[in-house]
Amino acid sequence: MKRKSLILSVIAFIAAVFGAQAQEMPATYIQRPIVPDSISTLAGRCNYVADHFFDFCDLKKAFSSRARMGDEIRTYLEILPQASPERAQAAASRLMEQLAKQPADQLYVATLAEEAYYSDSAAAWYDRLYLPFASAVADNKKIQRAEKARFVRQAKVLEGSLIGSKVAPLEYVTPSGERRNLDMDNAEAVLVMLADPTCSDCSMARLRLDADASLRELVDEGRFKVVVIGIADPADPEWQAKAAEMPSSWTVGANPDVDTLWDMRVSGPSLFIFDRKHNLRWKHLTTDMVLDIARQIKKR
């Protein structure tokens, strides 16, 4: 019943944001902003709510009823993705800054944001929007190291693999023992496959990619580069056997700690593509998506 009540509250508030009458909204724990009628666009109304959601809320007292305040935060988190990215991120940063001296409450809000924007159960992943929440907890010296450990890791992973941003350096060791870094890998498009040696889906992805004519031609032309990095000790015999099966035109290496550096929330192979400037263009790709991108590049 509590979940149903929250959903109805969110729906009613969204309706109000989108232009329904304010009196149709149910009673709420905190007084919510009323969007001026002069703001007529959807983006504008959501931006207003993002900016003013907590204007009438005393954050120092509001968390005395954590359950009720939690429902308000969940409503807020439902609205933020509808605002412009810049305004939503700024609003999230502002809220977390206001809670900096309330470490328990800041941690609680970050946990709710993790549930809404980052976890496996989230309806969608909003990495840039989630980052201000995780970073605030990671940087807060008032929060115990053990309590914020996962947020520290999440912030590091997201900062290094955000779409549109430069990818983090990633070291790896080739089967011959050469130490390399992704900074050294350049092409019009660079596909990075992060794979567990025991992953059968990773082996299937490798076979499909190697069999695709468009991708092979792009690799031969130097326009497309494939880098496979195993999540394994470079000296692991099982990984070395897998590496020996890789196409000779691909770059292959291993790094046992890669999952602490790049975003690997998906099961199976983690597929990323960055451009010549090392800006990440796509992540969490399927094999079909990679092959489609290769065909599009081939047509240029």
Side-chain angles (χ1 to χ4, degrees):
M1 288 296 294
K2 181 179 178 181
R3 175 63 178 170
K4 182 178 180 181
S5 176
L6 173 62
I7 292 172
L8 291 174
S9 175
V10 170
I11 291 173
F13 184 55
I14 290 175
V17 171
F18 295 171
Q21 294 300 313
Q23 60 264 29
E24 294 177 8
M25 292 173 57
T28 57
Y29 180 57
I30 66 173
Q31 182 180 341
R32 296 176 182 174
I34 298 175
V35 183
D37 291 338
S38 58
I39 303 176
S40 59
T41 66
L42 171 60
R45 297 179 75 83
C46 290
N47 285 343
Y48 185 92
V49 173
D51 289 342
H52 298 283
F53 193 89
F54 298 104
D55 279 5
F56 307 105
C57 176
D58 185 343
L59 290 171
K60 293 181 180 179
K61 298 179 180 178
F63 288 89
S64 60
S65 177
R66 178 156 287 193
R68 297 186 68 187
M69 188 58 179
D71 287 345
E72 298 294 336
I73 296 295
R74 290 185 183 93
T75 299
Y76 176 67
L77 295 174
E78 290 278 354
I79 293 293
L80 280 187
Q82 312 305 322
S84 67
E86 296 79 9
R87 294 282 281 275
Q89 292 159 34
S93 296
R94 188 163 54 250
L95 171 62
M96 296 304 276
E97 183 178 352
Q98 290 175 298
L99 295 174
K101 294 183 180 180
Q102 299 168 232
D105 298 331
Q106 189 189 67
L107 183 63
Y108 176 59
V109 171
T111 301
L112 295 180
E114 177 188 33
E115 178 185 296
Y117 298 154
Y118 188 85
S119 71
D120 291 342
S121 60
W125 288 337
Y126 296 99
D127 293 348
R128 284 190 180 275
L129 185 50
Y130 176 60
L131 188 55
F133 294 97
S135 295
V137 171
D139 295 339
N140 195 333
K141 296 180 180 179
K142 295 179 181 293
I143 298 177
Q144 295 294 319
R145 183 177 299 179
E147 290 183 306
K148 66 180 180 180
R150 76 176 187 275
F151 295 101
V152 172
R153 180 183 59 79
Q154 291 168 0
K156 182 178 181 181
V157 162
L158 288 179
E159 287 168 356
S161 51
L162 275 178
I163 292 177
S165 297
K166 189 171 183 179
V167 296
L170 180 57
E171 295 181 347
Y172 59 92
V173 179
T174 68
S176 65
E178 178 188 3
R179 291 189 173 275
R180 291 180 57 88
N181 196 301
L182 276 180
D183 289 346
M184 305 163 63
D185 297 306
N186 294 286
E188 183 177 335
V190 178
L191 168 67
V192 180
M193 178 193 292
L194 307 179
D196 186 320
T198 63
C199 169
S200 58
D201 289 339
C202 300
S203 298
M204 182 60 67
R206 187 260 301 172
L207 291 172
R208 291 191 60 201
L209 293 171
D210 184 35
D212 187 77
S214 295
L215 193 145
R216 285 203 315 271
E217 290 175 7
L218 286 170
V219 171
D220 292 342
E221 294 166 2
R223 298 177 60 194
F224 201 100
K225 186 168 188 175
V226 180
V227 181
V228 180
I229 301 178
I231 311 167
D233 187 309
D236 180 2
E238 184 174 14
W239 164 247
Q240 291 183 341
K242 289 287 185 182
E245 299 173 356
M246 302 289 177
S248 59
S249 58
W250 293 8
T251 299
V252 181
N255 181 331
D257 301 318
V258 67
D259 58 337
T260 67
L261 302 170
W262 277 38
D263 185 1
M264 295 185 62
R265 279 173 286 172
V266 297
S267 59
S270 292
L271 300 168
F272 306 77
I273 292 179
F274 61 81
D275 61 23
R276 196 177 296 279
K277 295 182 179 180
H278 282 231
N279 292 320
L280 188 64
R281 299 290 303 278
W282 296 278
K283 70 176 181 179
H284 303 318
L285 294 166
T286 64
T287 305
D288 286 336
M289 291 175 180
V290 172
L291 296 178
D292 185 60
I293 291 168
R295 294 184 189 106
Q296 295 302 315
I297 293 174
K298 185 64 179 173
K299 292 177 180 178
R300 294 177 187 170

